């Protein structure tokens, strides 16, 4: 999950994250400006055994759909310490060893 305390109340779904960028989805319109920096507070799922961390990210794009809004970010500043890299490594491991089934 991801929160942007200065932009919206509640949490957005963290759809993707890597060392260079991330993508979130929310059920409401995300009121952000392209090219502007924001702080994203990331709460990894409990199975990752990694605490919350935050990243500074710049908005690349925003797409509004029927019942959702997605936004893509370039990560400008990642957190100090190893939590962020461990989470990215965890997601890479999970996607290789437990790929989503396609129907």
């Amino acid at each position: 999950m991801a929160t942007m305390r200065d932009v919206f109340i509640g949490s957005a779904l963290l759809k993707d994250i890597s060392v260079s960028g991330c993508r979130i989805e929310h059920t409401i319109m995300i009121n952000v400006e392209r090219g502007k920096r924001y702080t994203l507070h990331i709460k990894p799922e409990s199975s990752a055994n990694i605490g919350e961390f935050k990243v500074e990210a710049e908005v690349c794009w925003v797409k509004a759909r029927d019942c959702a809004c997605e936004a893509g970010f370039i990560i400008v500043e990642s957190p100090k310490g190893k939590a962020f890299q461990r989470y990215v490594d965890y997601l890479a491991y999970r996607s290789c060893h437990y790929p989503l089934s396609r129907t």
Side-chain angles (χ1 to χ4, degrees), residues 76-97:
V76 178
E77 188 177 320
S78 56
K80 307 292 185 247
K82 305 232 181 233
F84 175 65
Q85 185 61 51
R86 282 190 4 233
Y87 188 51
V88 171
D89 291 345
Y90 164 79
L91 293 175
Y93 171 83
R94 188 181 73 183
S95 68
C96 289
H97 290 85

Side-chain angles (χ1 to χ4, degrees), residues 3-7 37-41 54-57:
T3 59
M4 295 174 67
R5 296 174 183 152
D6 52 340
V7 176
R37 286 187 183 190
Y38 295 90
T39 301
L40 280 79
H41 298 264
K54 62 183 177 178
V55 297
E56 293 294 319

Side-chain angles (χ1 to χ4, degrees), residues 23-102:
R23 180 171 51 124
I24 64 170
E25 181 178 47
H26 204 301
T27 56
I28 61 169
M29 184 61 184
I30 301 169
N31 188 19
V32 292
E33 295 177 41
R34 190 171 175 211
K36 186 174 177 185
R37 286 187 183 190
Y38 295 90
T39 301
L40 280 79
H41 298 264
I42 309 296
K43 183 178 180 182
E45 60 269 23
S46 60
S47 60
N49 293 319
I50 297 165
E52 292 184 33
F53 58 90
K54 62 183 177 178
V55 297
E56 293 294 319
E58 183 178 306
V59 178
C60 295
W61 54 267
V62 178
K63 282 189 210 173
R65 293 193 323 254
D66 295 333
C67 298
C69 181
E70 282 189 88
F73 298 84
I74 294 172
I75 294 177
V76 178
E77 188 177 320
S78 56
K80 307 292 185 247
K82 305 232 181 233
F84 175 65
Q85 185 61 51
R86 282 190 4 233
Y87 188 51
V88 171
D89 291 345
Y90 164 79
L91 293 175
Y93 171 83
R94 188 181 73 183
S95 68
C96 289
H97 290 85
Y98 305 101
L100 297 173
S101 61
R102 300 196 184 252

Side-chain angles (χ1 to χ4, degrees), residues 7-24:
V7 176
F8 56 78
I9 297 171
S11 297
L13 175 64
L14 180 65
K15 294 196 75 171
D16 187 24
I17 189 167
S18 70
V19 293
S20 60
C22 66
R23 180 171 51 124
I24 64 170

